[in-house]
Amino acid sequence: MVAGSARWLPLALATALGTAGIPAAVLSAPAPVLSRQSFVADAVKRTAPAVVTIDTERTVVVPGGAVITPFPFNDPMLRQFFGMPPGGTTRIPPSQRTERGQGSGVLYDPSGLVLTNAHVVEGSTRVMVGLPDGRRVEGKVVGADPVTDLAVVRLSGSGSWPVAQLGDSDTLQVGDWVIAVGNPFGLDQTVTLGIVSSLNRNAAKLGLTDKRLQLIQTDAAINPGNSGGPLLNADGDVVGINTLVRSGPGAGLGFAIPVNRARSIAQQLVSSGSVSHAMVGVALEPVREANGAIGRGAKVRSVMPGGPAARGGLKDGDVVLAAGGQPVSDPADLTQLVERHGVGRPLVLSVERGGQPLSISVTPVELSSLMPR
């Protein structure tokens, strides 16, 4: 452009002017070749050898009973002729049948320890673990925790077991890439890609009122058979254990247990075979402001008679704003803080009752001690 007016140069001249002063070696260098291998391939290559198939068998007892004998064998003469017992009914004795199931798991310890879901191995009488290298090894359930849907299986015998690296789920952010690996529908080593859609999804909001979990939500496809398999980050570290998928309307929502939670549960299962869950005996609900907005804290909906909260003086309608000096933003926060605090030690709750602040001390007890027998 010269003196404010646009002038166009011939292409050859423009090219010559544009490359003036650029070394010939640079001009003749080949264009960079884009890699055909994605970060997903690298991540899967690192961890896939430790992702296993878990085949289970469980014995189910079918109760016996009496059934009405169909015509014509309800005729007394025919029954006598065929040697059938008198009467119009036939007694069927109890029987047994074997149910088979399948899930996924991930080897996380060189001694042969596998992390999976509790519902994968629940009630199993036999567990067989299949490795990607073709080995099939019998496994023994070390322990299972239905409250967090986690279980640990130990492989029998000694061997060189491939191990996945457990990462840090606390570093996850919404939008991070995640990779689900497992064996859906018996299709070994299936890999799907997605992102972290949300963090800290309360299991109770998904209808799982018997679970104590804050879940990772992802749009990576998780299908039946993926349960117990790992959710990986972009580096191939395990950041979650896949546990369930939303089917029907709203399908495409998958959920995983954060690996930091899974690691803690696994340590307890290996050391004692069971998991301690602290509870104070209250039912909670969100705090509602006058305008309908959700406020900060956890409102006590009901108090279990004779429980730690009742003994400490907590009442229906109280709003818990802090526990042990840590702020409580919602009911899930309080549940988590009580669980982290543990059993048998006093926990000071900062409470608001009728607009007045109070401090109430409660001593959490084991969840199982408050469950109906």
Side-chain angles (χ1 to χ4, degrees), residues 79-90:
R79 294 181 68 84
Q80 184 178 2
F81 178 79
F82 285 104
M84 299 172 69
T89 60
T90 300

Side-chain angles (χ1 to χ4, degrees), residues 28-322:
S28 61
V33 178
L34 295 177
S35 172
R36 294 181 180 274
Q37 182 167 304
S38 71
F39 71 91
V40 179
D42 290 332
V44 172
K45 185 185 297 183
R46 180 183 177 200
T47 304
V51 180
V52 300
T53 303
I54 299 178
D55 293 298
T56 62
E57 293 182 3
R58 54 178 60 88
T59 302
V60 179
V61 177
V62 181
V67 296
I68 299 174
T69 307
F71 179 84
F73 293 103
N74 54 2
D75 183 276
M77 296 294 291
L78 282 174
R79 294 181 68 84
Q80 184 178 2
F81 178 79
F82 285 104
M84 299 172 69
T89 60
T90 300
R91 189 78 185 172
I92 298 177
S95 61
Q96 292 184 344
R97 59 184 171 87
T98 300
E99 285 187 350
R100 291 177 172 82
Q102 190 174 75
S104 304
V106 59
L107 275 155
Y108 73 97
D109 188 276
S111 66
L113 295 178
V114 177
L115 252 175
T116 186
N117 287 145
H119 75 260
V120 170
V121 297
E122 182 182 9
S124 59
T125 52
R126 190 183 186 204
V127 176
M128 290 297 295
V129 179
L131 279 73
D133 60 13
R135 285 181 289 176
R136 286 185 62 78
V137 184
E138 192 151 359
K140 179 183 177 182
V141 179
V142 175
D145 181 40
V147 177
T148 56
D149 195 26
L150 288 164
V152 174
V153 173
R154 186 186 298 276
L155 302 186
S156 61
S158 58
S160 177
W161 310 119
V163 175
Q165 179 69 38
L166 301 186
D168 182 2
S169 52
D170 288 344
T171 63
L172 282 177
Q173 300 182 55
V174 173
D176 282 350
W177 289 109
V178 283
I179 306 156
V181 186
N183 310 294
F185 305 109
L187 302 172
D188 295 353
Q189 298 286 296
T190 296
V191 177
T192 57
L193 175 67
I195 62 168
V196 174
S197 304
S198 184
L199 295 167
N200 301 315
R201 285 291 191 211
N202 192 292
K205 293 181 179 179
L206 302 173
L208 304 174
T209 55
D210 59 336
K211 307 297 181 192
R212 283 187 153 193
L213 287 170
Q214 302 291 317
L215 298 167
I216 302 166
Q217 181 183 327
T218 177
D219 64 351
I222 298 175
N223 296 296
N226 264 119
S227 293
L231 188 72
L232 311 178
N233 63 14
D235 296 323
D237 295 333
V238 179
V239 291
I241 301 297
N242 301 323
T243 186
L244 63 96
V245 62
R246 170 76 178 266
S247 59
L253 304 181
F255 299 90
I257 303 163
V259 76
N260 289 3
R261 179 76 160 134
R263 183 190 286 112
S264 171
I265 297 298
Q267 289 171 350
Q268 294 184 62
L269 289 173
V270 171
S271 62
S272 65
S274 60
V275 178
S276 175
H277 294 288
M279 187 177 183
V280 296
V282 291
L284 303 169
E285 62 185 8
V287 175
R288 292 285 180 182
E289 305 288 359
N291 61 2
I294 296 178
R296 186 176 69 87
K299 186 176 181 180
V300 178
R301 188 173 72 240
S302 63
V303 179
M304 181 178 290
R311 293 194 296 269
L314 210 58
K315 296 183 178 181
D316 295 1
D318 286 350
V319 175
V320 182
L321 299 174

